[in-house]
Amino acid sequence: MQDTLISIGNAAQLLNVSIDTLRRWDISGRLQSIRSGPRGHRYYRQSDIDQYIEEARLLARDWAESPHALEPKSDMYCQTRDVFQARLETFQSKLRHVAPLQTVSLVTAVAGEIGNNSFDHNLGNWPDISGIFFSYSLRSKYVVLADRGQGILATLKRVRPELTQASEALKVSFTETISGRFPETRGNGLKFVRSVIIDNPLTLSFQTGDAHLYLKQKDNTIVVNKAKTYLRGCFAIIGFEDLL
Amino acid sequence: MIIHVKKFGTTLVSRPTGKEAWLAFQPVLNESSKDEKIIVDFEGVIVLTPSWADEFLTPLRERFGDRVTLQNIKNPSVVATLAILTK
């Protein structure tokens, strides 16, 4: 099948970057265009764009799992909460062009809660790289978030010393109102995430340590599995394909 | 007194911004009369999470109790947030 060519404007929209960024990426070789037409306009192969979009999830996982602490690519890295807030609002605004308010509201709320959870529990205590990885694809309909923080087990162990496994801690965080920031009486963020996912056509893949859970609509029971690979912090993919 | 929540922003997701909203609003709250109703209006809010709401609504309810009423709460994230906070 012949590969479709798309304009630089469309490619920028799909990748949630500016046209200038795409021009820079082209010059640096990060994502190369095809010159076509009498004026040599830049076009992109759909397959190249698809591959790049897919890459965001892989990039996030690689970053979260890597023994080497490096800052992620700048367009996917939110070093502080303010940067995350600004990028979340940009995401929300872009999503509004293609999705109803219900989708925009819920997906942004879930992403906001997971991203802010990373900051809440690691502020002043980041083991190496501070901040989070945040990226998304409006075409493939997912949001990916990751951190290289302490992970849920280390956080909850402060208030529940009997916890020894990441799988137990992950289950507790999604089912009980408990805060790793005692004496504060907070700790309902991931319960909120769960309630939104099970009431709506959304999916969530969440890993911390060697524990992984997958949630979808109507999943009233939490099943935590052993992940194939280990990552110290948290890694989440929110899927909203069926909410559009 | 009507608190138009959207004046704090339309994407209300983090604890620090909720806490800042609560602190910044104290002078206005201090001006309320003894039996005045405190109406919290969510009109125009696009995204609300329990993190933000717990820093603003929870202390508001603790301070003013039954005098607090909420309106325009149909936004899906507002519905989901209020359901979690009241549990």
Side-chain angles (χ1 to χ4, degrees):
Chain A
M1 199 175 76
Q2 199 176 4
D3 209 349
T4 315
L5 290 183
I6 59 173
S7 70
I8 190 167
N10 284 340
Q13 204 170 9
L14 290 169
L15 293 170
N16 68 68
V17 297
S18 70
I19 289 174
D20 281 344
T21 298
L22 278 186
R23 290 192 183 116
R24 279 198 302 275
W25 286 3
D26 191 13
I27 292 163
S28 69
R30 181 166 164 185
L31 183 64
Q32 288 186 320
S33 71
I34 291 167
R35 298 297 187 120
S36 184
R39 292 183 180 177
H41 286 310
R42 287 178 168 92
Y43 288 87
Y44 290 84
R45 286 190 193 93
Q46 184 71 56
S47 59
D48 287 346
I49 300 295
D50 289 346
Q51 201 179 344
Y52 197 89
I53 288 167
E54 199 58 39
E55 210 185 329
R57 282 174 281 198
L58 298 174
L59 286 174
R61 177 168 278 284
D62 285 349
W63 175 73
E65 282 180 1
S66 173
H68 308 291
L70 294 170
E71 285 185 4
K73 289 176 180 173
S74 61
D75 54 319
M76 297 171 176
Y77 178 40
C78 303
Q79 188 176 16
T80 64
R81 211 191 284 264
D82 290 345
V83 175
F84 176 53
Q85 173 84 25
R87 291 195 173 162
L88 190 68
E89 288 186 25
T90 303
F91 163 71
Q92 174 196 300
S93 151
K94 286 180 178 176
L95 190 57
R96 279 196 89 174
H97 292 299
V98 295
L101 181 67
Q102 158 113 358
T103 305
V104 175
S105 175
L106 294 174
V107 174
T108 311
V110 168
E113 197 64 67
I114 292 174
N116 274 297
N117 214 40
S118 293
F119 287 101
D120 287 343
H121 293 293
N122 291 292
L123 195 64
N125 264 319
W126 295 100
D128 45 47
I129 304 290
S130 59
I132 65 171
F133 187 113
F134 170 58
S135 190
Y136 50 89
S137 164
L138 299 183
R139 187 168 184 275
S140 299
K141 299 174 185 64
Y142 72 80
V143 175
V144 60
L145 297 130
D147 71 60
R148 292 179 60 92
Q150 303 164 86
I152 290 180
L153 175 61
T155 305
L156 290 188
K157 232 176 146 42
R158 296 191 194 113
V159 284
R160 287 278 186 89
E162 72 275 15
L163 290 172
T164 56
Q165 303 290 324
S167 55
E168 299 168 296
L170 183 55
K171 192 165 184 174
V172 166
S173 69
F174 273 84
T175 53
E176 296 177 34
T177 298
I178 176 175
S179 173
R181 286 180 41 153
F182 180 81
E184 291 178 80
T185 56
R186 55 171 84 197
N188 48 22
L190 293 178
K191 266 68 63 185
F192 168 78
V193 168
R194 181 185 171 211
S195 75
V196 171
I197 303 279
I198 63 177
D199 286 343
N200 294 280
L202 289 168
T203 59
L204 175 71
S205 172
F206 194 101
Q207 185 180 339
T208 179
D210 62 355
H212 174 264
L213 71 77
Y214 180 78
L215 272 180
K216 63 180 191 305
Q217 191 172 24
K218 296 179 184 167
D219 267 354
N220 288 315
T221 51
I222 293 262
V223 180
V224 176
N225 296 305
K226 195 167 176 64
K228 287 177 190 155
T229 51
Y230 172 85
L231 57 91
R232 183 188 55 223
C234 296
F235 175 80
I237 297 173
I238 305 156
F240 53 96
E241 196 160 344
D242 297 328
L243 199 57
L244 294 181
Chain B
M1 172 186 297
I2 299 181
I3 302 173
H4 295 282
V5 180
K6 73 175 176 190
K7 290 187 179 179
F8 298 108
T10 57
T11 306
L12 305 167
V13 295
S14 79
R15 285 192 175 270
T17 53
K19 192 162 202 161
E20 181 60 18
W22 171 246
L23 294 174
F25 209 63
Q26 292 309 300
V28 182
L29 290 173
N30 291 339
E31 287 170 7
S32 67
S33 53
K34 198 175 164 224
D35 298 318
E36 190 180 356
K37 283 225 174 290
I38 310 288
I39 299 163
V40 186
D41 189 337
F42 288 92
E43 192 270 321
V45 172
I46 301 168
V47 186
L48 181 73
T49 68
S51 288
W52 193 94
D54 198 31
E55 298 290 344
F56 189 88
L57 271 190
T58 303
L60 189 74
R61 281 170 159 163
E62 279 168 7
R63 179 165 163 191
F64 295 101
D66 293 343
R67 286 166 60 193
V68 177
T69 54
L70 312 179
Q71 69 182 30
N72 290 317
I73 52 173
K74 283 188 178 165
N75 174 284
S77 65
V78 174
V79 172
T81 293
L82 295 176
I84 282 281
L85 279 196
T86 50
K87 268 184 187 172

